[in-house]
Amino acid sequence: AIDHAELAMHSSQQPDWAALKKIIEVMEMKNNMDWVMQHYSEEARARLAERGKSWTTEMQVKAEQDWKDLIRDVDAARSAGLDPASPEAGALVERWNRLIEAFTGGDPEIMKGLSRLYANQANWPANVQKPVPEGFGEFMKKAAAAHKNKD
């Protein structure tokens, strides 16, 4: 992004505002990732980096869509007043667990870091968008607790 902006500046002597905006976004993303990674142990960061080597763009697109779909479905269930102990809520918990498993690979050290990250939401930087709507976590915790002994 920086190379593109420099090239645009040299070729036209006019700032390429889109390129500059992209540079800022990339820098903010880097800062956010640095902040996120503080919640993971050195061991977990190394394991995440190793897992990232085999992570493809297609896998990322699918994971993002799967999370969007789950968030939408949980939000709809909450809005409809679905009982967290219902079989439908249990199916949402299963999907949630599969998505978390896909991220952590079942690694307990990565899971600890993820748990620390979400336990620290009150201290997230202002520019970090919360990934789920208000009440999502509370509903999913109730549903998970209700279905824990049903497995």
Side-chain angles (χ1 to χ4, degrees):
I2 292 171
D3 290 342
H4 176 76
E6 284 180 349
L7 182 61
M9 284 290 291
H10 291 303
S11 63
S12 69
Q13 300 301 318
Q14 292 291 324
D16 180 344
W17 296 114
L20 293 174
K21 181 178 183 258
K22 182 68 176 171
I23 291 169
I24 293 168
E25 288 172 356
V26 168
M27 290 170 61
E28 285 180 352
M29 191 181 318
K30 170 79 169 92
N31 289 340
N32 289 343
M33 282 309 297
D34 289 346
W35 177 83
V36 165
M37 289 311 217
Q38 292 175 9
H39 294 86
Y40 292 89
S41 68
E42 188 173 322
E43 181 180 344
R45 287 193 299 268
R47 290 177 184 169
L48 283 168
E50 189 61 35
R51 288 177 55 73
K53 290 178 184 176
S54 62
W55 193 255
T56 65
T57 301
E58 293 78 17
M59 292 166 76
Q60 183 64 33
V61 168
K62 181 174 179 356
E64 288 176 7
Q65 188 60 54
D66 289 348
W67 275 108
K68 285 179 188 175
D69 293 346
L70 176 63
I71 291 165
R72 178 201 61 222
D73 294 348
V74 169
D75 204 35
R78 286 180 41 250
S79 295
L82 185 69
D83 180 358
S86 70
E88 294 86 355
L92 293 171
V93 170
E94 287 176 23
R95 285 170 58 195
W96 183 33
N97 287 337
R98 280 194 306 270
L99 290 173
I100 290 173
E101 172 76 19
F103 173 72
T104 66
D107 187 305
E109 196 62 28
I110 294 173
M111 188 64 204
K112 285 179 195 174
L114 185 62
S115 295
R116 280 191 293 269
L117 173 65
Y118 278 88
N120 190 29
Q121 283 188 54
N123 297 311
W124 285 14
N127 66 331
V128 174
Q129 182 180 352
K130 301 259 194 285
V132 295
E134 200 68 36
F136 177 95
E138 182 180 333
F139 178 86
M140 292 306 288
K141 284 178 187 175
K142 287 179 183 176
H147 292 276
K148 187 173 188 167
N149 296 325
K150 293 181 182 182
D151 293 337

